[in-house]
Amino acid sequence: MFRIDVFVLSVALVLALLTDRALAQSRQGLIIDGTIVAGFDDNVFRSNVEESDRVIQFVPKISLNGLYGKHNFAFEYVGDFAQYSENSDFNYFQHNFNGFALLDINRTINAQFNFFYQDKIEKPGVNSSLLDDEAEEFNEYTITGLNAALYYGTKRSIGQLVLIFDVNNRDYSNNSQEFRDVDSSAITARFFYNLGDKTRLQLEAGTGDYDYIQNETSIDRSNSELELLLGVTWEATAKTSGVFRVGYKNKEYNSEQFKTISGLSYFFNVEWQPTRYTSFSLGSTKNPNESAQINEGGLFRTTYSIEAQHEITSRTNFLTEYKLYKDEVALFEGNRTDEREEFSVGVGFVINRWLDSKVGYKYLNRTSDLDTFNYTANIFEISLNSSFD
């Protein structure tokens, strides 16, 4: 049984209050939602030494949406608070803020801006490293940044040009992860050519820079990226749509001690809805990623995913998903290959028009050329979610 303490009781009380307020305020542009999750994890550290724990998680969400003339504005706060039963040092309280603006300048020109500040925790097993044996809490970091996009033309135009700008700062605060602090910037240009029948050809070119904060204990991992991609987007029927891009990406480091990584890169995703009650999603990507280990170069990550949803009744739905991540890690001598699997299955229940619940199970597994990176985990969760339109 979970320990009933002040934190859990407060969560339940806040969620109850939010439901009444959200019903009253959602029509005014203010939407307040909340989710409570109770879970069991049989391998919290994602390592060969398995240790189980139980957790209560509370995720409040406050959104304020507005319209000024033809322009859309939004502000969003999302919290993420978790309390563990046995490993209380892993408790976390995260705050995320997002500001969004969509400016409708004229019939052919639009601009989009997204400002954000995010508190994040990095659970073990999701990257190319291991949680340090002496670590008493999850890795914690903040991301602040700006995304901006300028659109010339629309989806219906013969041609559409999109320029995307991205600037952000990532700052780690514990577990001696300072060597991963980085300022990054990128610019991407996408040109779409309308072939008709809801099909568009896409040409994409982009460049980016990762400027790592200098650290006396690590080699400078600053690097630059270049990408060239050609693709197509389509909506063959009302039941099928997809995106496919393929090309070349290159990541070159300032330090000669790291290998340049380059090669084939692609993005693929297909949505298929054979009936009004059933839908499938199939996808795959291959992209370079930053390493999470000190004095280690980057890696190419290939991801495969398949998802299925089925509406059993008007109040009950079934969801299952499988993902496979394959990391090709560039070491000083040779390479290391990690394969990570995620399988999940769940059933959702609609209780009433503003409240639903879900029961789910997730299986995690990683196998590596180095046995120390192997792990298996089983996670069981039950959640309540309030949602208001």
Side-chain angles (χ1 to χ4, degrees):
M1 297 292 293
F2 290 99
R3 294 182 298 178
I4 304 299
D5 52 23
V6 175
F7 174 78
V8 178
L9 292 175
S10 299
V11 167
L13 177 59
V14 169
L15 184 56
L17 293 173
L18 293 187
T19 56
D20 288 338
R21 294 178 181 177
L23 283 173
Q25 297 175 339
S26 60
R27 296 178 182 176
Q28 304 301 317
L30 180 63
I31 305 173
I32 306 178
D33 299 337
T35 299
I36 297 177
V37 181
F40 171 81
D41 189 330
D42 72 355
N43 188 355
V44 178
F45 297 99
R46 305 290 187 265
S47 68
N48 291 323
V49 181
E50 298 182 1
E51 183 171 339
S52 63
D53 207 342
R54 298 176 296 274
V55 62
I56 289 286
Q57 184 179 11
F58 175 49
V59 182
K61 178 179 177 181
I62 302 174
S63 301
L64 179 62
N65 306 303
L67 184 65
Y68 182 77
K70 297 184 296 180
H71 311 306
N72 289 279
F73 299 91
F75 174 81
E76 180 182 77
Y77 165 79
V78 179
D80 190 358
F81 314 129
Q83 178 163 315
Y84 285 80
S85 178
E86 302 296 333
N87 299 280
S88 60
D89 289 334
F90 285 167
N91 297 350
Y92 57 84
F93 300 85
Q94 309 295 329
H95 307 280
N96 302 280
F97 301 89
N98 291 279
F100 174 82
L102 178 60
L103 307 181
D104 187 355
I105 300 173
N106 57 42
R107 291 184 178 181
T108 58
I109 300 177
N110 293 277
Q112 179 177 306
F113 299 91
N114 182 31
F115 305 87
F116 56 88
Y117 170 87
Q118 299 175 347
D119 279 335
K120 294 291 185 179
I121 62 104
E122 186 177 64
K123 291 187 178 181
V126 299
N127 54 41
S128 61
S129 70
L130 296 170
L131 185 66
D132 193 292
D133 292 337
E134 298 180 358
E136 296 182 349
E137 55 190 359
F138 296 132
N139 294 339
E140 298 180 357
Y141 62 94
T142 60
I143 301 179
T144 55
L146 164 68
N147 302 122
L150 180 66
Y151 299 83
Y152 183 79
T154 68
K155 288 185 177 182
R156 296 181 179 180
S157 303
I158 294 178
Q160 182 187 34
L161 178 64
V162 183
L163 298 177
I164 303 170
F165 307 89
D166 180 32
V167 179
N168 68 65
N169 166 267
R170 180 177 296 222
D171 184 21
Y172 285 82
S173 59
N174 65 341
N175 293 341
S176 301
Q177 297 292 301
E178 294 81 7
F179 69 93
R180 299 171 66 189
D181 292 350
V182 62
D183 293 320
S184 63
S185 60
I187 180 170
T188 304
R190 293 175 180 168
F191 177 74
F192 297 88
Y193 182 78
N194 201 329
L195 299 176
D197 296 327
K198 298 183 178 180
T199 302
R200 300 201 300 169
L201 190 68
Q202 176 182 341
L203 178 64
E204 178 175 324
T207 182
D209 290 295
Y210 292 84
D211 184 14
Y212 279 87
I213 309 303
Q214 295 298 308
N215 188 296
E216 295 180 357
T217 62
S218 63
I219 304 171
D220 181 19
R221 299 193 301 168
S222 299
N223 64 85
S224 58
E225 284 188 0
L226 175 68
E227 67 170 11
L228 295 170
L229 301 170
L230 179 66
V232 62
T233 64
W234 73 91
E235 295 180 20
T237 67
K239 298 180 179 180
T240 306
S241 62
V243 179
F244 177 64
R245 296 192 297 267
V246 63
Y248 169 86
K249 284 195 176 183
N250 178 83
K251 180 184 284 288
E252 185 172 353
Y253 290 86
N254 295 352
S255 173
E256 295 181 355
Q257 300 189 54
F258 296 117
K259 300 177 182 178
T260 296
I261 58 174
S262 60
L264 176 71
S265 178
Y266 63 83
F267 175 89
F268 170 74
N269 186 75
V270 173
E271 305 284 343
W272 178 45
Q273 188 173 2
T275 72
R276 59 174 296 190
Y277 305 106
T278 306
S279 64
F280 296 92
S281 177
L282 179 67
S284 181
T285 63
K286 185 174 183 179
N287 280 303
N289 276 260
E290 298 297 291
S291 172
Q293 288 198 284
I294 192 169
N295 296 334
E296 184 180 273
L299 57 94
F300 254 105
R301 170 169 293 172
T302 306
T303 304
Y304 307 94
S305 65
I306 183 169
E307 177 184 315
Q309 297 186 56
H310 179 68
E311 185 178 314
I312 302 172
T313 70
S314 60
R315 289 181 172 269
T316 308
N317 64 82
F318 171 82
L319 171 66
T320 185
E321 183 177 19
Y322 175 79
K323 289 184 177 181
L324 173 64
Y325 303 87
K326 184 176 181 180
D327 292 345
E328 302 168 26
V329 185
L331 305 176
F332 282 112
E333 296 183 1
N335 297 302
R336 188 186 88 230
T337 300
D338 298 343
E339 289 191 358
R340 179 162 55 93
E341 295 178 286
E342 294 183 2
F343 170 74
S344 63
V345 61
V347 179
F349 309 92
V350 178
I351 298 174
N352 55 42
R353 67 187 182 92
W354 53 265
L355 186 66
D356 60 82
S357 66
K358 181 181 177 181
V359 178
Y361 164 76
K362 181 179 288 187
Y363 169 82
L364 307 177
N365 179 70
R366 181 167 69 184
T367 57
S368 173
D369 295 339
L370 299 178
D371 292 342
T372 54
F373 288 87
N374 296 344
Y375 70 81
T376 298
N378 297 277
I379 303 170
F380 301 87
E381 292 182 337
I382 182 170
S383 64
L384 284 174
N385 177 65
S386 64
S387 180
F388 308 96
D389 298 324

